[in-house]
Amino acid sequence: MVQAINSSSIDRLRSYLPESFTINWQLNGDYQLTFTAYNDSSPAFENLNVENSIQFDSTEYVIKQVTPDYSGGIETVNVTATHIYNETSRVFQRSVKKGDIGYLPNDVLDFFFKNNDLGFSYTVNGNFDKRKITDLGNISGKEALAKIVEVWPESIVYPEGKKIGVYTHDQFFKNYGHRIDYLNNASEISFDYDSTEIINQVRAVGPTYEKKTKVVTEEGNDSGNLSGTTTRVNGSWEAAIKYGAEVTNSKIDSGFVKQFLYIINRESRGQENAINNWDVNAQAGHPSKGIVQFIDNTFQNYAIKPYTNIYKGWDQILAVYNSSNYYNNIMSGWGNPSGSRRMDTLVSKPSSTGKGATKVIADAKKYIGVPYVWGGHNKSNPRAGMDCSGFVSQVYHDFGIEIPAYTVSMEKYGHQVNDIQTGDMLFYGPHGATHHVALALDSKTMIYEPQPGESCKVEPISYYPPSWYLRNDKMAAIVAGNSSGSSEKVSYQTSTENYFDPFIVQDDDSIKKWGLHPGGDVTSDSIKNAADMKAWVMTQLKPNPTLTVSIKKNISVAVLPGDIVRLEIRPNKFITNLAIVGYSYHPFSKVTTTTITLNQTAKTILDYEKSRYKNYQIAQQNGNTSSSLEEHGQETWTAEEVTQFGSRLKSNV
């Protein structure tokens, strides 16, 4: 039956091709109806359009794809319709429950579906434990159902019409006494035994948080008041590498920067919490860590106070420069850093001649990462993009100083100076024909919008020397203000901290049986406790080969999802119980059989291996040397094979 959207009229479709009519379902996956229909000029055919609905066997589907085809004077359409429960994507919860909160599946369903306008209802079947979710909300109802499966991996989401059921494993899978018997009611049984996806060891990486540390420094030791870039910007450590050279008075060139970036990418892909747990250093008990993979002893030998956290990229960059042989260490490939220690504590000059400079610096740096947009200078929405003059004009605007967003016009809003301080305008090109402008953060550092395709960034002034400098008296007064009169300076250093250090999680039984199969990092943005993280990561491992059993039944019949069936290949004495986790059903076909997918369990694998081993023994007894225990993959047992092996097998159950 076909019904147009926003219409009460329902018409029966008669012009479908019976062999094409297919219903596919996979556990926690696709649930859809497909068929081909031909034009019989009926209202039902004309209503085969997207978002119209199809009702079949008391179940509603919504048409999502319609592909017309014209051939031999006949018009046909290929139709794909998804189960009505997929319309949960139209239920959107824009509110967000902030923080780490413990939930049950019913709490999540209440938050998204209670009193929804589309008529969806829900039930929870079985007992679940409470688990934490961070900042739940601002996603669709369908994404919320996926979140339930993610947080409770043992859960099953199965719809009956608009009633969404969330089940525990034991509540969904039931034994109704059904049996599938090879050569009786099943024409073909295929086993796909595959070890390629075994993962029995991973690294667990939890979320991070921003930690603000109060730093009190004396004049002349301004280590807590750095003005340049000390973090990764747009995925790159380039600005931090250049600024590290500046504050450590290290001479570098573009080739050095390029090689430094290559080493960072090779060693850690720029990830601060990277740990190598597999090389010789790890085997010796001191794994390499961080963006350039220092081992602890080497890092401590070169770390500069107060930047001594091996998991901080900035701290590792400074440690690289603290070797007297820093240039050769990088250019030779960073095998084993050598050289004497250059300094114990980072001592840098004040960022500006004026004590109000920190406010100007902070305001300018908040635009780091804003893309360059030619002619962009929208003061009400600066993050939409700015060009070089628009950026400088924006910073001045933030302090109540209005100057035009055009380089030549800006030249009139100050006087030329020979030295540089915070807030000065740095011009490129002759007076009256300037073509670029930057803003000084201090006497050695500038911030600017570079060119199309790039974003606002910080660079040493020496990398792109300006033609001349301009000082605005109003900005200079702001920079000179906020004097505390104290010999001590108080600042705050923000760092990214881990709730717990990354650690290895592995399945010892799997490693003992199959050998070590390491995988990539498993991360979570919400689990902040190491023990909880380990328990969850264990559910994400794939400790055993996958065993998928596919069955073609002799007749096209409907099957029951979750039905635990008794599978028998009696001539081969192979008997086990498996649950239906997918099917392809052809209700009108007289030719195409129903295909059923059964799940794997530890007992299923054991039964399979026992049967394979007995076959191997029989083959040896018969002198058949071509059989091998290493024969894994899809295998279909034919009637001839069953006859060949069946007479010699004993029951393995």
Side-chain angles (χ1 to χ4, degrees), residues 90-372:
R90 296 168 56 192
V91 177
F92 203 95
Q93 176 57 269
R94 300 193 183 280
S95 300
V96 177
K97 291 187 175 182
K98 290 288 187 179
D100 302 321
I101 302 174
Y103 295 92
L104 293 170
N106 201 78
D107 301 324
V108 178
L109 294 167
D110 282 344
F111 186 47
F112 282 85
F113 294 106
K114 193 171 185 177
N115 300 321
N116 70 88
D117 296 331
L118 296 180
F120 287 105
S121 61
Y122 49 89
T123 61
V124 175
N125 306 275
N127 296 319
F128 290 90
D129 59 331
K130 185 172 286 190
R131 298 184 184 177
K132 289 183 179 180
I133 301 176
T134 301
D135 297 341
L136 179 64
N138 198 33
I139 57 176
S140 70
K142 188 171 183 181
E143 291 171 309
L145 296 176
K147 175 66 72 173
I148 289 175
V149 175
E150 173 192 341
V151 176
W152 292 272
E154 70 279 12
S155 64
I156 292 103
V157 175
Y158 182 76
E160 296 181 72
K162 288 190 174 183
K163 182 179 179 181
I164 310 299
V166 176
Y167 298 82
T168 61
H169 186 278
D170 292 341
Q171 286 294 314
F172 185 74
F173 293 110
K174 301 286 187 179
N175 192 330
Y176 298 98
H178 295 147
R179 186 178 70 181
I180 296 177
D181 188 354
Y182 176 60
L183 296 181
N184 180 18
N185 62 353
S187 60
E188 182 179 324
I189 299 177
S190 301
F191 289 82
D192 187 359
Y193 197 39
D194 189 354
S195 66
T196 57
E197 295 187 1
I198 292 178
I199 297 176
N200 51 26
Q201 184 193 74
V202 297
R203 186 176 62 161
V205 181
T208 59
Y209 65 95
E210 294 297 321
K211 180 181 179 181
K212 182 176 285 188
T213 305
K214 185 176 181 180
V215 180
V216 180
T217 58
E218 297 178 359
E219 285 193 25
N221 181 16
D222 204 23
S223 60
N225 194 24
L226 298 176
S227 61
T229 300
T230 61
T231 60
R232 187 165 56 167
V233 178
N234 293 333
S236 174
W237 286 100
E238 181 176 355
I241 290 171
K242 293 176 180 178
Y243 187 55
E246 178 184 341
V247 299
T248 58
N249 196 28
S250 302
K251 295 182 179 180
I252 63 174
D253 52 33
S254 60
F256 177 90
V257 174
K258 183 177 180 180
Q259 178 70 1
F260 204 155
L261 289 170
Y262 167 76
I263 289 171
I264 289 175
N265 184 64
R266 182 192 69 192
E267 297 293 335
S268 67
R269 295 187 179 179
Q271 301 301 312
E272 293 179 287
N273 58 7
I275 302 177
N276 187 330
N277 287 289
W278 297 281
D279 66 3
V280 292
N281 288 323
Q283 294 173 8
H286 44 73
S288 306
K289 304 172 183 177
I291 63 170
V292 296
Q293 293 288 281
F294 273 110
I295 63 173
D296 289 304
N297 288 341
T298 305
F299 176 74
Q300 294 304 326
N301 186 48
Y302 292 111
I304 303 175
K305 296 178 182 178
Y307 304 101
T308 57
N309 187 339
I310 196 170
Y311 290 110
K312 301 305 168 195
W314 172 247
D315 298 17
Q316 289 215 0
I317 289 171
L318 293 181
V320 169
Y321 286 122
N322 204 27
S323 163
S324 60
N325 197 31
Y326 69 89
Y327 192 93
N328 288 335
N329 287 339
I330 290 296
M331 298 306 291
S332 63
W334 191 248
N336 186 22
S338 62
S340 59
R341 186 180 177 90
R342 296 174 62 195
M343 65 184 77
D344 291 327
T345 304
L346 185 67
V347 179
S348 61
K349 295 180 180 180
S351 61
S352 170
T353 56
K355 294 184 179 181
T358 54
K359 290 185 178 180
V360 177
I361 292 170
D363 183 84
K365 289 175 70 175
K366 75 184 182 183
Y367 296 114
I368 290 177
V370 172
Y372 179 98

Side-chain angles (χ1 to χ4, degrees), residues 500-630:
F500 52 83
D501 288 337
F503 62 94
I504 295 297
V505 177
Q506 64 185 34
D507 188 312
D508 294 330
D509 291 338
S510 175
I511 293 173
K512 183 178 180 180
K513 184 173 183 179
W514 305 108
L516 179 63
H517 291 262
D521 292 349
V522 176
T523 62
S524 171
D525 293 330
S526 59
I527 302 176
K528 300 176 181 178
N529 178 275
D532 293 341
M533 183 69 175
K534 180 178 180 180
W536 178 72
V537 171
M538 286 295 291
T539 68
Q540 306 303 301
L541 298 178
K542 298 178 181 178
N544 293 301
T546 58
L547 176 61
T548 302
V549 183
S550 298
I551 296 172
K552 289 187 177 180
K553 294 182 69 68
N554 287 338
I555 56 175
S556 183
V557 295
V559 293
L560 182 62
D563 186 7
I564 299 176
V565 298
R566 178 181 174 89
L567 174 62
E568 296 186 11
I569 306 178
R570 287 184 289 176
N572 202 32
K573 304 298 183 183
F574 179 80
I575 302 174
T576 192
N577 292 319
L578 302 103
I580 295 176
V581 295
Y583 62 79
S584 181
Y585 170 42
H586 309 270
F588 301 116
S589 175
K590 299 183 183 300
V591 177
T592 308
T593 58
T594 298
T595 301
I596 302 171
T597 303
L598 303 174
N599 76 321
Q600 73 169 62
T601 63
K603 183 179 184 303
T604 305
I605 293 175
L606 182 61
D607 290 341
Y608 177 80
E609 290 172 347
K610 285 180 179 179
S611 178
R612 291 287 296 155
Y613 185 65
K614 285 187 177 294
N615 287 345
Y616 173 71
Q617 289 179 318
I618 292 169
Q620 283 189 320
Q621 294 169 8
N622 290 340
N624 184 357
T625 58
S626 64
S627 295
S628 171
L629 281 174
E630 296 179 356

Side-chain angles (χ1 to χ4, degrees), residues 633-652:
Q634 188 173 30
E635 178 178 335
T636 301
W637 293 344
T638 65
E640 290 76 16
E641 289 172 327
V642 171
T643 301
Q644 177 185 355
F645 297 139
S647 61
R648 300 192 178 204
L649 287 179
K650 296 181 180 179
S651 172
N652 60 10

